Amino acid sequence: DDECDVVRPPLAVVEGRRYRKNRGSNSGFDSGEEKMVFAAADEAALEQEFERDAQGYFVGKVDVPKEFQAVIIGRGHETHRRLEDDTQTKILVPDRRSSSTVVTIKGERASFVDSARLRIEVLVKEHKDKAWPTHFIALSLASPQLEASYAVVREYLAAEQPSLLGLLIPYTRLHLTLGVLRLFGREDVARVMKLLQEVVPQVAARYNFGGAKSSAVLQGLDIMNDDPEKVHVVYIKVTCEHLQEFMDDIMAQLKAQDFVKEENCKVKIHATLLNSKRGEGPKRVAFDASAILAKFADFKFGTCNLDQVCLAQLSPPANAKEKRPAGGGFYHLEGFVQL
C-alpha cells in the first residue's frame, strides 16, 4: 500500500483545488494522527494562477480575518517559521496594528506558494470550526397584537415576579431563529447577504411562503427542558404552515456553502421571551418559571406576518456603545431580505 501511495498518491480537494498528499515526517502539519505534506497536483496550471513580482517570485494572497492571524504566527513565531520552512516560502502576515486581512505568500515555485496557501486555509478553518457562533439568521416578529400581548406579560412580571423582569427579551428583539453561523470579517457577512438575496426568494416561492401568505400564530409558553423550576429559556410557541420546511431549506443552502455546521442546521421553532443570559451575574443562573408558565399556558399572543429574513450579530461589535442586548433595535442588524 505504501508503495502504491508513492506511485499514485491520494488526492485531496480543498477550496475546489486538487492536491497530492505525500507522507512526510517533518512537515509539522498535523491532520489527526497523521502528518502530511501537500504538493500541488498541476504545476503548470498553478503558474498561470499566481502573479510574479519584480524579483520573479510567485505571489499568492490569502484572506485571513484579524482574529485568526495569530494562529498563523503561533507562540514565539513557531508556526510561522514551520510553515515557511515546510513550504519553502516567505509568508508575510500584516502587523497586528494594521486592519489588513491579506496574508501574502512568496515562493520560487507556484506549487510552493499553493502548498503554503492550502496549509494556511486548513489551519484557519480548523480554528474557525472551534469558534463560537457569531451571527444568526432570523425571521423578525412584529405586530400590534403581539406588542399589546407583550405589554400584558411585562405588567404581570413587574407586579408578580419582578426578579424575572430583567430576563425579558425587549419587544423589538423578538424573533424566530433559523440557525446560527460563524462569520469572520466583512467579507463573510457580504457573502452571506448575497447568498440570502439569491436563495430566500427561491425558497419562499417553493413553499408559497412569506408576508400575508404566512401568518404565524403565537400562542402559549413552553420551556426547553423538563423541570419548570430550573429553566434558562421560556419561549412563545409558534405555528405556521411550511415554516419548518422554509427554515430547513434556507439553512441547508447556507450549510452547502460551509457557513453552517451540521449541528446548527436543525433549530426548534420558538420565539424566546425570557432568557437567563440576560441576568446580571457573570454566569447563567436557572430560574423558576412555574408561575408564568401556568399563567400564560394557552395565552393568545396574536398573529404576525413573517415578512423579513434577517442576518444579525449575536452581540454588538466590540467598538459599539451597547455591549449587552438591551433597549430597542433588533440586536446588531447586518441586513435583511424582504419576503
Side-chain angles (χ1 to χ4, degrees):
D1 289 343
D2 290 342
E3 183 178 350
C4 183
D5 281 352
V6 172
V7 178
R8 289 177 298 173
L11 294 178
V13 179
V14 177
E15 297 291 332
R17 295 187 295 276
R18 292 163 61 84
Y19 295 89
R20 187 172 61 242
K21 296 180 181 178
N22 295 329
R23 300 182 188 274
S25 58
N26 298 317
S27 71
F29 178 72
D30 194 350
S31 178
E33 297 180 354
E34 185 176 37
K35 294 184 176 181
M36 294 182 176
V37 177
F38 284 77
D42 192 337
E43 182 78 31
L46 289 172
E47 289 181 357
Q48 302 301 313
E49 184 174 345
F50 297 110
E51 296 181 355
R52 290 178 183 263
D53 64 9
Q55 289 73 41
Y57 290 105
F58 289 97
V59 180
K61 298 181 184 298
V62 186
D63 186 79
V64 179
K66 291 298 295 184
E67 54 264 54
F68 292 102
Q69 289 178 12
V71 170
I72 302 171
I73 297 171
R75 183 177 298 178
H77 286 261
E78 181 182 348
T79 305
H80 190 188
R81 286 194 296 269
R82 186 174 69 239
L83 284 169
E84 289 187 330
D85 290 345
D86 289 351
T87 61
Q88 301 178 56
T89 59
K90 181 68 176 177
I91 299 173
L92 307 175
V93 181
D95 185 275
R96 62 182 180 180
R97 293 166 293 185
S98 169
S99 61
S100 174
T101 61
V102 178
V103 172
T104 303
I105 307 165
K106 295 185 178 184
E108 293 183 354
R109 295 179 60 180
S111 59
F112 295 167
V113 173
D114 197 57
S115 179
R117 178 174 66 175
L118 171 69
R119 294 272 292 275
I120 290 171
E121 287 173 346
V122 170
L123 188 61
V124 171
K125 186 178 186 305
E126 286 177 350
H127 282 77
K128 280 185 176 182
D129 288 344
K130 297 175 184 176
W132 288 97
T134 60
H135 292 71
F136 64 97
I137 305 290
L139 288 159
S140 60
L141 295 173
S143 76
Q145 290 178 325
L146 181 56
E147 187 171 13
S149 298
Y150 178 90
V152 172
V153 174
R154 186 177 181 82
E155 289 173 6
Y156 165 79
L157 290 176
E160 304 294 335
Q161 291 187 282
S163 62
L164 299 185
L165 200 55
L167 308 185
L168 186 64
I169 302 294
Y171 166 72
T172 52
R173 297 180 185 273
L174 293 178
H175 63 273
L176 295 176
T177 300
L178 277 67
V180 295
L181 303 84
R182 293 163 176 78
L183 306 181
F184 305 97
R186 302 310 304 171
E187 183 177 331
D188 276 0
V189 172
R191 287 172 59 201
V192 170
M193 280 307 307
K194 181 180 179 182
L195 181 63
L196 289 175
Q197 289 162 358
E198 293 173 357
V199 304
V200 167
Q202 298 171 4
V203 177
R206 189 174 301 145
Y207 299 107
N208 194 30
F209 185 89
K213 296 176 291 185
S214 300
S215 182
V217 177
L218 292 84
Q219 181 174 352
L221 297 181
D222 206 346
I223 57 177
M224 295 292 186
N225 60 313
D226 297 325
D227 187 353
E229 295 182 1
K230 295 181 180 180
V231 173
H232 284 287
V233 172
V234 172
Y235 65 88
I236 304 172
K237 293 186 285 187
V238 181
T239 56
C240 180
E241 187 177 11
H242 298 306
L243 173 57
Q244 189 69 64
E245 294 96 324
F246 176 81
M247 291 170 59
D248 292 346
D249 205 331
I250 293 294
M251 296 312 294
Q253 303 275 355
L254 290 165
K255 180 180 179 296
Q257 297 299 318
D258 206 29
F259 288 119
V260 181
K261 297 185 74 172
E262 180 68 37
E263 61 266 29
N264 300 133
C265 279
K266 292 284 187 179
V267 175
K268 181 182 179 68
I269 297 175
H270 70 284
T272 300
L273 186 63
L274 295 166
N275 195 329
S276 64
K277 283 184 177 180
R278 296 181 59 80
E280 295 294 334
K283 294 183 178 181
R284 297 183 72 176
V285 178
F287 59 93
D288 187 345
S290 303
I292 191 172
L293 288 173
K295 175 69 175 179
F296 296 96
D298 295 309
F299 183 74
K300 295 180 179 179
F301 286 86
T303 60
C304 178
N305 290 337
L306 304 178
D307 55 11
Q308 281 187 351
V309 175
C310 305
L311 173 63
Q313 203 170 21
L314 280 169
S315 59
N319 60 352
K321 294 180 180 178
E322 185 182 48
K323 300 291 185 182
R324 179 187 292 272
F330 186 77
Y331 289 83
H332 178 74
L333 186 66
E334 301 280 13
F336 66 90
V337 179
Q338 194 74 28
L339 289 171

